[in-house]
Amino acid sequence: MAQALHIAMVAPPWYDVPPRTYGGIEAVTAALVHGLRARGHRVTVIGAGREVDLRTYDEPPSARIGEPFPEVVHAAEAARLLRGLDVDVVHDHSLAGPLTAAGRLVPTVVTCHNDVSGELGDYYRSLGEDVSLVAISASQRAAAPGLNWVGRVHNAVDVAAWPFLERKDDWVLWLGRLSPDKGAHLAIEAARAAGRRILLVGRRAERAEHAYFRERVEPLLGPDAEYLGEADGPLKNELFSRARCLVLPLLWDEPFGMVMIEAMACGTPVVALRRGAVPEVVADGVTGYVRDTPDELPAAIEAVSALDPHVVRDRVVRHFDVPVMVEGYERVYRGIMAATPAASRRPLPLAR
């Protein structure tokens, strides 16, 4: 009989787990925790806010995102809390937390949620075999082939929690952080060229995001291009399910892109540029269209009417639903534990 594991799950400090509004990594972490517990594993969540098992902050320091000290304090406090736990594996989703992995008896698995081609890759390379890295896409892993990769597990959503609509409205959607590399201005231009109204939803938190919105996005707004602010859960559900398509003109090699699977879970196709993990997530001509240049996006926006929303959602169920992600991480945990015989483990019987 398979054995249940005790997993210490270290979340980033910035948002609640699960997040109330924005919080991509926190949303994935919460879904993974729920899925692991459903399969009989014991999971102790270390993070900020009132929903976690062990707190590093009573309230997430969201207003200080980008500052170094919340990360450092969070890592130090998480390390202290971990010393009091008897676990089989530590799964760390934070930035500074992996610095505390050296000398730990049990293995530390780190999911790389961000771009590892630059300084972040240098950081993980310096940590060496103290941490076992999991990529969220083949594209991300290929960008830094020399790191201590132990697997690739795509992010996931609870597909059943996202509303499905077969009949779509005529307008298109852009949703994401208002960062220059997310291409909101290109989405407006593509929708306008296609003769379609576009709704934009996004978070502006950092100084660069405010500047980008003011200089590149706001001048393009008008009756056919409306910015709605930041969306909570119910509004995201409504927008994703009703939109004709999600337009994602990425200007960087994003390692994954949660908004793509969130939209497709609602049966809404994605029109995106061929950057990063986009070709892994969007099946061209099946769940959306992947194009090479912004000039090709207007025609693709028009072509989505030929795609079947049922097929779009079904592919998410098969490839990006939470049980698929959970099984992937179970394989990672058991594989790295088998390769770490010195770790002291007392697995719990798996409840059936």
Side-chain angles (χ1 to χ4, degrees), residues 2-69:
Q3 297 291 305
L5 306 175
H6 185 185
I7 302 147
M9 194 74 65
V10 182
W14 304 113
Y15 299 101
D16 289 287
V17 180
R20 298 174 188 175
T21 53
Y22 179 82
I25 299 174
E26 289 82 1
V28 171
T29 303
L32 177 58
V33 169
H34 180 77
L36 287 166
R37 287 173 174 166
R39 290 174 67 89
H41 300 290
R42 180 182 173 189
V43 185
T44 299
V45 182
I46 299 175
R50 302 183 181 182
E51 301 299 321
V52 300
D53 300 305
L54 298 173
R55 299 180 197 171
T56 59
Y57 283 91
D58 289 337
E59 294 293 337
S62 305
R64 299 179 63 191
I65 191 166
E67 295 181 25
F69 268 104

Side-chain angles (χ1 to χ4, degrees), residues 26 91 156 159 165 263:
E26 289 82 1
H91 189 167
V159 178
L165 285 181

Side-chain angles (χ1 to χ4, degrees), residues 161-212:
W162 292 89
F164 172 81
L165 285 181
E166 183 175 9
R167 295 176 64 89
K168 304 297 182 181
D169 290 348
D170 288 335
W171 48 267
V172 303
L173 176 67
W174 179 93
L175 190 149
R177 284 188 303 107
L178 277 157
S179 171
D181 52 26
K182 298 284 188 176
H185 64 290
L186 294 178
I188 296 173
E189 293 171 351
R192 190 163 282 156
R196 300 283 175 179
R197 180 170 174 246
I198 184 169
L199 300 180
L200 299 100
V201 177
R203 179 181 68 97
R204 289 180 289 166
E206 299 181 27
R207 182 178 301 175
E209 294 168 349
H210 284 281
Y212 167 67

Side-chain angles (χ1 to χ4, degrees), residues 11 25 50-51 53 96 102 122 155 158 265-266 290 314 318 333:
I25 299 174
R50 302 183 181 182
E51 301 299 321
D53 300 305
D122 295 337
N155 287 336
D158 178 6
C266 299
V290 181
D314 181 65
R318 289 183 286 112
Y333 298 154

